[in-house]
């Protein structure tokens, strides 16, 4: 398993292509990957130089793992190597998206927060206004990608097998097969997990964390790295508040305790409450991405 996040090394599959080679570094320092013959055209050298420097001071690196017989220095180096390699791919993804004026978001949450329902509703509301493409991450099945495609938006499913998060290499391969809309939106729906995705940059502009009111309001202080990494928190399923014992003010206070700058919107994909504010937020980001794109 990975020393950085503890996830397994199961087969990673991306729709429309070969099995993905997802490298894992074990606690003893050995590495292995599942081979494939698909060539990734990212600029490894330039990205790696940038990513390696970033990894030494990675602000969202998870707590240090422990392995019998390995000293702390070796463990830290392995973790830095994993994050540096990921950051190299993320930098290449970011260059690709920036060149096309695409506003990319990494949607993160625990399982069952309503990410896919919220995403489907968002796509429907944006029809005729802004094109959306989606990368879907799940350990197994293509059900969520099929739900996205039913809205008319292009989607690529990544199955991570035993892995508990997407990484930038996986996303880069998915982008090669996805019809990216110029000046549009890219939504990356990560695997349901409030721990590991916080540490892995995918090349997105921002992480958006979804917290459902059916969860505890203390999630931000239980999983601070994720809420610290996010630019926006969507407090979802707010139509259920009359039926729940959930303290909205406390949830917001906890989120701002770990991230004073986090933006917060209260939404419900079912009732439509707060969706206009969410769409406005997306439009501002998309306009900025288009303005900053090379002419």
């Amino acid at each position: 398993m990975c020393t950085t996040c503890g996830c397994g090394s199961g087969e990673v599959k991306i729709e429309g292509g070969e099995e993905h080679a997802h490298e894992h570094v074990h606690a003893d320092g050995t590495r292995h990957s599942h081979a494939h013959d698909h060539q990734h055209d990212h600029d490894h050298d330039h990205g790696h130089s940038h990513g390696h420097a970033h990894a030494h001071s990675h602000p969202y690196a998870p707590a240090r793992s422990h392995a019998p017989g390995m000293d702390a220095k070796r463990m830290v180096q392995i973790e830095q190597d994993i994050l540096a390699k990921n950051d190299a791919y993320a930098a290449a993804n970011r260059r690709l998206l920036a060149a096309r004026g695409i506003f990319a978001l990494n949607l993160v949450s625990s399982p069952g927060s309503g990410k896919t329902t919220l995403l489907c509703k968002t796509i429907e509301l944006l029809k005729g206004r802004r094109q959306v493409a989606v990368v879907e991450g799940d350990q197994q099945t293509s059900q969520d990608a099929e739900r996205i495609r039913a809205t008319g938006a292009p989607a690529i499913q990544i199955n991570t097998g035993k892995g508990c998060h997407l990484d930038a290499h996986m996303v880069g391969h998915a982008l090669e097969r996805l019809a990216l809309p110029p000046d549009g939106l890219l939504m990356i729906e990560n695997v349901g997990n409030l721990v590991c995705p916080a540490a892995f940059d995918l090349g997105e502009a921002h992480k958006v964390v979804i917290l459902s009111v059916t969860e505890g309001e203390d999630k931000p202080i239980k999983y601070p790295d994720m809420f610290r990494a996010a630019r926006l928190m969507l407090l979802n399923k707010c139509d259920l508040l009359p039926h729940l014992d959930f303290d909205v003010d406390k949830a917001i206070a906890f989120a701002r305790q770990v991230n004073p700058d986090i933006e917060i919107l209260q939404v419900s994909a079912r009732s439509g409450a707060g969706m206009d504010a969410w769409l406005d937020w997306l439009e501002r980001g998309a306009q900025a991405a288009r303005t900053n794109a090379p002419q």
Side-chain angles (χ1 to χ4, degrees):
M1 64 176 58
C2 286
T3 62
T4 296
C5 65
C7 72
S9 57
E11 296 177 354
V12 175
K13 296 181 179 178
I14 302 173
E15 283 185 323
E18 300 293 328
E19 184 176 302
H20 171 70
H22 183 44
E23 183 178 63
H24 289 267
V25 183
H26 290 263
D28 62 0
T30 60
R31 301 168 184 260
H32 79 272
S33 62
H34 297 284
H36 67 76
D37 59 5
H38 188 78
Q39 296 300 314
H40 206 299
D41 63 354
H42 286 178
D43 184 350
H44 301 290
D45 293 336
H46 180 273
H48 189 276
S49 175
H50 169 78
H52 190 71
H54 177 61
H56 281 284
S57 58
H58 203 291
Y60 309 124
R64 299 301 180 193
S65 303
H66 301 280
M70 180 175 291
D71 62 39
K73 183 177 179 180
R74 175 60 177 154
M75 186 67 70
V76 169
Q77 184 60 55
I78 291 172
E79 291 181 2
Q80 289 176 342
D81 288 347
I82 293 170
L83 292 173
K85 186 171 184 178
N86 180 80
D87 286 348
Y89 287 119
N93 292 344
R94 186 168 286 110
R95 289 193 297 272
L96 171 67
L97 296 167
R100 301 188 185 186
I102 295 173
F103 185 47
L105 296 175
N106 182 359
L107 304 182
V108 292
S109 77
S110 57
S113 69
K115 286 195 305 297
T116 309
T117 298
L118 178 69
L119 188 48
C120 288
K121 185 67 173 181
T122 300
I123 293 168
E124 290 172 2
L125 293 173
L126 284 172
K127 283 182 179 177
R129 297 172 53 182
R130 187 72 64 173
Q131 291 183 293
V132 183
V134 178
V135 173
E136 274 290 339
D138 284 300
Q139 289 189 312
Q140 298 293 340
T141 84
S142 61
Q143 291 181 349
D144 285 352
E146 291 165 6
R147 288 176 63 188
I148 296 298
R149 286 192 284 263
T151 69
I156 293 288
Q157 181 76 52
I158 300 176
N159 289 136
T160 60
K162 295 179 182 178
C164 56
H165 60 87
L166 295 177
D167 65 28
H169 194 198
M170 300 176 197
V171 171
H173 279 287
L175 295 183
E176 292 170 354
R177 304 184 180 101
L178 188 60
L180 294 172
D183 303 329
L185 298 172
L186 173 67
M187 301 289 203
I188 305 169
E189 185 177 349
N190 219 313
V191 179
N193 180 357
L194 280 176
V195 182
C196 304
F200 287 82
D201 181 6
L202 305 180
E204 73 273 11
H206 305 296
K207 287 181 175 65
V208 175
V209 62
I210 294 95
L211 173 63
S212 167
V213 299
T214 56
E215 305 173 68
E217 58 270 297
D218 58 354
K219 282 288 179 69
I221 55 174
K222 285 186 174 180
Y223 302 94
D225 284 352
M226 182 61 79
F227 288 83
R228 194 174 296 121
R231 172 68 176 271
L232 174 69
M233 180 177 87
L234 294 178
L235 193 57
N236 196 26
K237 303 186 183 180
C238 285
D239 56 302
L240 297 177
L241 282 171
H243 312 289
L244 300 170
D245 183 19
F246 183 93
D247 191 326
V248 171
D249 291 338
K250 187 176 289 185
I252 292 173
F254 283 147
R256 290 192 167 134
Q257 179 179 322
V258 299
N259 183 356
D261 297 324
I262 195 169
E263 299 177 59
I264 298 171
L265 296 175
Q266 298 180 44
V267 299
S268 167
R270 295 294 185 188
S271 71
M275 293 299 290
D276 285 344
W278 164 231
L279 297 183
D280 289 344
W281 191 91
L282 290 174
E283 184 60 26
R284 290 194 298 272
Q287 289 177 358
R290 179 178 182 178
T291 299
N292 294 329
Q295 300 301 316

